[in-house]
Each structure stands twice: as C-alpha cells, then as structure tokens.
C-alpha cells in the first residue's frame, strides 16, 4: 500500500530551494543510516533553526529497512517539534540507480528522489530522468538529476575519474527532463579521499567557472553539489590516534563551500564528514574506556559529537541557520 510523504509530515524541496536561492544559502543534505545519526541531524537542525534534507542511499535503505525508515522519518518530524522548532524536513533518495527504485521510494513515503543517470550516454540519461520525473510529479515529489560524473567511492556509487559537467548541455537537459534540481560536477568527489595531494600541498580549487556558466544558462534554477564533505583534520587525527588508518584523507575546503552556498547552489550533500565524526568518537570512547560495552555510551558520545559538527556546518559553512521562523 502506497504512503504519501505528506501523511508523514514531510515536505518536498520546492519551497526549501526557493528560499535558499532567494537568501543565498544552501540547505544541508545529511545522509543517515541509523537511529543515532538521524537524532543528531534533527537536533542540530532544530537547534540552529535550519531546514534539512534527510538523505538515504540505496545501501542505507537496504541496511535500515524501508519500513523502519518511514517511521524514523515520521519520528524525526515529531522530534523536531518536541525540540521546539518545526523545521521543514524532506526525505530524499540519494543516487537512485533505477526507475523501479525511485518508484518504490516514492510509494514508501519519500518526498524527493534523485535519479542518477550520469554514467549513461546523454540521451539515455535524459530518457531515464524524464521517466522518473513523469511519475514523481504525479505524486508531487521533487526530482534531482545529474550531469557530469564525480570520482570517488561512496556506497554503490563509484568512479575512478571525474567528468566535469558540460554547461552547454544543462539547458537542454533541464528542459527535456523537467527535473526540479540538477547535480553538477565541478571538482567535488565522493568519500574521504577526494583529492590526490601530498602533505603540505594545496587542494585544487573547485571549478567555479563551470558553476557560473551553469548559473547563466539556468537562471534561478537549483544547483546541487555532491561529495562536499570537508574531511576535517581533527577527526582524521582522532581516528588515527585510536587505531585507525586514514592516510592523506582530504576534502573540500570550507571556504569554497561557503562561496558555493552563496550562489545558485542551494543543496550541499554531506556524508563522509558525519561518518568521520561518528567513528572518531566511537574509537576514542572504546580506546579510553576499554571495559565499556554499553552501546548507549559510545554511540551516545558519537551522537553528541555529530550534533556539534552539524551545527557548525549550518552556522559557519552552509548559511542555513536561523532560516526557519
């Protein structure tokens, strides 16, 4: 039996993106896989009065179970109210790889879906994306498409090489597919190893020239950045200090993300930073308290750190704090 996201108290991304573009900020799109992560996301966003997009990958959906995810999302809406701020919350499929998966998510209460046909030949990407859009819009669900390929590995998404978005294709793609937002490739990357740099070397700057050209060709249209974690050194160091092995992990500098958030980029995806903060505190707790075996203790510490990290993202990087009355 199909369930509408509206029954769960969720919203689609239309009004979120309109406000973000009008006021020069980006809505945080945080990936989650379990209870502690979604608790942290909602607490951070409610306390900073930020709208939020809860992102679920195909792998996360398989891990958490589609039915349980539906009720977690419903619980998230009520939790935000309990915290005193009824923030707009969207539930989004991240990197959907088939029409069938997108349809199933829509029927299970998702308010937004991404269909990623970026690995396909252009015409096939257009056809697949339009097929998803035609179905989703019947249910007032918003759709994100993608042009260009990001390098890196994250869940089922992986590519050895980046292929920058061709600005000359964006107008045709949006017009023919009817998508509500477009993910572009300007130098970000999936995972915790976004750039191949040696210690002391600078991270290559994002291709803001491509972003600016896309903005010119698609005025007032929502642009999305994937693979935008900053891979904060303090978490990498903490992981390595307590038995981890993450050499040369590096992400997108936060000043570049701030610049992007002030443009037509109105959704910025963050997954790896959450994983790193969470894992760092779990490792620290277990290493410094070796007799501890209560999951509430080490997961609770990780959840608290995640709240701290995401509040900082909203306030200092994305500009999404204090956008909800």
């Amino acid at each position: 039996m199909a369930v509408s996201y509206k029954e769960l108290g969720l919203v689609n991304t239309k009004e979120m993106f309109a406000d973000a573009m009008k006021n020069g900020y980006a809505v945080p799109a945080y990936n989650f896989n379990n209870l502690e992560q979604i608790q942290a996301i909602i607490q951070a966003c409610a306390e900073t009065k930020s709208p939020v997009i809860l992102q679920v990958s195909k792998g996360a959906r398989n891990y958490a179970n589609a039915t349980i995810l539906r009720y977690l999302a419903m619980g998230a809406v009520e939790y935000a109210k309990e915290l005193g701020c009824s923030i707009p919350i969207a539930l989004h499929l991240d990197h959907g790889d088939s029409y069938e998966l997108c349809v199933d998510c829509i029927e299970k209460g998702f308010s937004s879906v991404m269909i990623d046909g970026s690995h396909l030949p252009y015409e096939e990407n257009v056809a697949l994306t339009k097929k998803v859009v035609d179905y989703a819009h019947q249910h007032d669900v918003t759709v994100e498409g993608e042009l260009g390929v990001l390098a890196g590995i994250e869940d089922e998404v992986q590519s050895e090489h980046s292929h920058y978005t061709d600005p000359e294709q964006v107008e045709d793609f949006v017009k023919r597919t009817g998508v509500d937002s477009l993910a572009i490739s300007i130098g970000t990357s999936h995972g915790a190893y976004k750039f191949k740099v040696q210690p002391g070397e600078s991270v290559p700057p994002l291709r803001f020239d491509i972003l600016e050209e896309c903005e010119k060709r698609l005025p007032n249209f929502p642009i999305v950045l994937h693979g935008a974690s900053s891979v904060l050194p303090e978490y990498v160091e903490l992981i390595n200090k307590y038995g981890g092995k993450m050499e040369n992990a590096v992400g997108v500098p936060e000043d570049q993300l701030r610049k992007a958030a002030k443009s037509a980029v109105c959704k910025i995806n963050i997954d790896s930073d959450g994983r790193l903060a969470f894992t760092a505190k779990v490792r620290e707790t277990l290493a410094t308290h070796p007799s501890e075996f209560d999951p509430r203790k080490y997961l609770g510490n990780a959840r608290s750190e995640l709240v701290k990290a995401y509040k900082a993202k909203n306030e200092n990087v994305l500009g999404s704090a204090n956008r909800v009355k």
Side-chain angles (χ1 to χ4, degrees), residues 99 102-103 106 113 115 125-145 173-181:
Y99 171 79
C102 291
V103 167
I106 291 167
V113 295
I115 180 63
N125 187 2
V126 169
L128 175 60
T129 303
K130 185 180 187 306
K131 186 177 181 181
V132 171
V133 168
D134 288 346
Y135 182 83
H137 283 182
Q138 294 176 35
H139 301 271
D140 201 23
V141 169
T142 41
V143 179
E144 175 185 325
F173 186 84
V174 168
K175 181 178 180 180
R176 291 172 61 191
T177 62
V179 288
D180 303 285
S181 61

Side-chain angles (χ1 to χ4, degrees), residues 149-222:
V149 179
L150 273 66
I153 300 175
E154 192 170 82
D155 285 356
E156 291 81 11
V157 182
Q158 56 182 302
S159 176
E160 291 186 8
H161 303 287
S162 291
H163 300 285
Y164 291 122
T165 299
D166 181 354
E168 293 186 2
Q169 293 181 329
V170 296
E171 290 172 278
D172 180 71
F173 186 84
V174 168
K175 181 178 180 180
R176 291 172 61 191
T177 62
V179 288
D180 303 285
S181 61
L182 182 67
I184 64 172
S185 175
I186 61 170
T188 54
S189 177
H190 291 124
Y193 300 87
K194 299 187 183 298
F195 307 98
K196 293 182 179 180
V197 297
Q198 297 303 314
E201 289 185 351
S202 298
V203 171
L206 298 181
R207 290 288 304 274
F208 283 100
D209 57 322
I210 295 176
L211 173 58
E212 290 167 5
E213 186 61 27
C214 289
E215 285 185 89
K216 289 178 183 177
R217 293 171 180 269
L218 294 173
N220 300 312
F221 189 81

Side-chain angles (χ1 to χ4, degrees), residues 95 150 154 187-191 194 225-229 252 257 269-270:
H95 287 286
L150 273 66
E154 192 170 82
T188 54
S189 177
H190 291 124
K194 299 187 183 298
L225 281 190
H226 284 241
S229 287
V252 182
L257 294 177
N269 292 13
I270 296 173

